[in-house]
């Protein structure tokens, strides 16, 4: 069965944001407030939170600080992020719960990590390249794919 329009929009936004992360972390975009806000922070809800594999809840303001300070962190050896196996788990009105795998490669020697992520979106109606606002993300390491 072909992907639904909602699935296509969610996938496009997930890939777009992760491409922005790669550009930011590798230093291949400008290190400016305008670039950071337009590509990354503008799509995070003011009430955004995430739970990374460590289990600690990270609110939007702390995540933005961490991301801003990580500019160019992978500039020497590069990094890639691939999104796989995306599915819309639930859709109600203008809210969507999506699960996907996030595969990252970086470093020298190259290390591959992978996590299952669940993202909750709502229609923004005003901001963001896809008009989807990230509300919450929860990540869990895939078996055998946590960093060493």
């Amino acid at each position: 069965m072909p992907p639904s329009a909602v699935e296509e929009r969610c996938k496009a936004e997930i890939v777009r944001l992760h491409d922005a992360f790669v550009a930011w972390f590798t230093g291949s975009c400008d290190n400016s407030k305008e670039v950071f806000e337009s590509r990354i922070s503008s799509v995070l809800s003011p009430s955004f939170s995430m739970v990374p594999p460590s289990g600690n809840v990270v609110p939007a303001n702390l995540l933005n600080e961490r991301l801003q300070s990580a500019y160019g962190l992978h500039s020497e050896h590069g990094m890639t992020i691939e999104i796989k196996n995306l599915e819309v788990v639930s859709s109600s009105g203008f809210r969507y719960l999506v699960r996907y795998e996030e595969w990252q490669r970086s470093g020298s020697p190259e290390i591959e990590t992978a996590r299952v992520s669940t993202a909750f979106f709502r229609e923004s109606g005003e901001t963001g390249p896809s008009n989807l606002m990230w509300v919450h993300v929860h990540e869990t390491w895939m078996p055998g794919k946590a960093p060493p």
Side-chain angles (χ1 to χ4, degrees), residues 24-131:
W24 189 259
F25 295 145
T26 60
S28 62
C29 64
D30 288 339
N31 183 5
S32 69
K33 181 178 180 180
E34 294 77 22
V35 167
F36 184 80
E37 287 179 355
S38 68
R39 296 184 185 179
I40 298 173
S41 67
S42 67
V43 297
L44 302 181
S45 166
S47 62
F48 176 85
S49 63
M50 83 174 281
V51 179
S54 66
N56 300 315
V57 178
V58 180
N61 62 333
L62 182 56
L63 178 64
N64 282 327
E65 288 174 17
R66 289 178 180 174
L67 290 171
Q68 284 181 317
S69 68
Y71 179 83
L73 184 66
H74 293 283
S75 61
E76 186 176 349
H77 300 290
M79 79 175 297
T80 62
I81 299 177
E82 184 178 1
I83 303 300
K84 299 180 182 181
N85 301 318
L86 181 137
E87 69 174 299
V88 176
V89 176
S90 181
S91 173
S92 178
F94 298 107
R95 293 171 174 78
Y96 316 111
L97 184 65
V98 181
R99 180 174 48 237
Y100 59 94
E101 295 173 10
E102 178 183 332
W103 292 75
Q104 294 187 13
R105 289 174 196 82
S106 63
S108 178
E110 186 176 84
I111 296 171
E112 180 180 68
T113 61
R115 60 195 87 196
V116 174
S117 298
T118 305
F120 181 65
F121 294 101
R122 69 171 169 78
E123 296 281 348
S124 70
E126 59 190 55
T127 61
S130 65
N131 289 326

